[in-house]
């Protein structure tokens, strides 16, 4: 059995999971399709946006 399956966990139980997913997909897409995007700045912005989404804001 794969190590990933042995250590798998359920996704977070939150009413804001849809918002979290939308933020993650849109920000990662933008980062991957933007030439010269600063990875550190992108990660910091993504972290802030995901925390905000999970808190319902």
């Amino acid at each position: 059995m794969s190590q990933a399956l042995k250590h798998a966990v359920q996704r977070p139980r939150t009413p804001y999971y849809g918002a979290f997913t939308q933020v993650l997909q849109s920000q990662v897409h933008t980062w991957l399709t933007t030439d010269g995007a600063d990875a550190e700045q992108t990660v910091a912005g993504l972290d802030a946006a995901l925390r905000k989404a999970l808190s319902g804001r």
Side-chain angles (χ1 to χ4, degrees), residues 2 4-6 9-10 14-15 22 24 26 28 32 35 38-40 45 47-50 52 55-57:
S2 170
L5 293 177
K6 287 181 184 177
V9 296
Q10 290 183 341
T14 173
Q22 178 60 38
L24 179 64
S26 66
V28 169
L32 292 174
D35 290 334
D38 179 3
E40 287 185 31
D47 179 62
L50 291 174
K52 186 176 177 181
S55 68
R57 294 183 278 144

Side-chain angles (χ1 to χ4, degrees), residues 3-48:
Q3 288 296 319
L5 293 177
K6 287 181 184 177
H7 300 286
V9 296
Q10 290 183 341
R11 63 183 180 190
R13 293 182 189 259
T14 173
Y16 307 115
Y17 192 80
F20 178 92
T21 301
Q22 178 60 38
V23 168
L24 179 64
Q25 289 177 349
S26 66
Q27 294 228 355
V28 169
H29 173 76
T30 299
W31 178 55
L32 292 174
T33 58
T34 303
D35 290 334
D38 179 3
E40 287 185 31
Q41 182 180 0
T42 301
V43 169
L46 179 59
D47 179 62

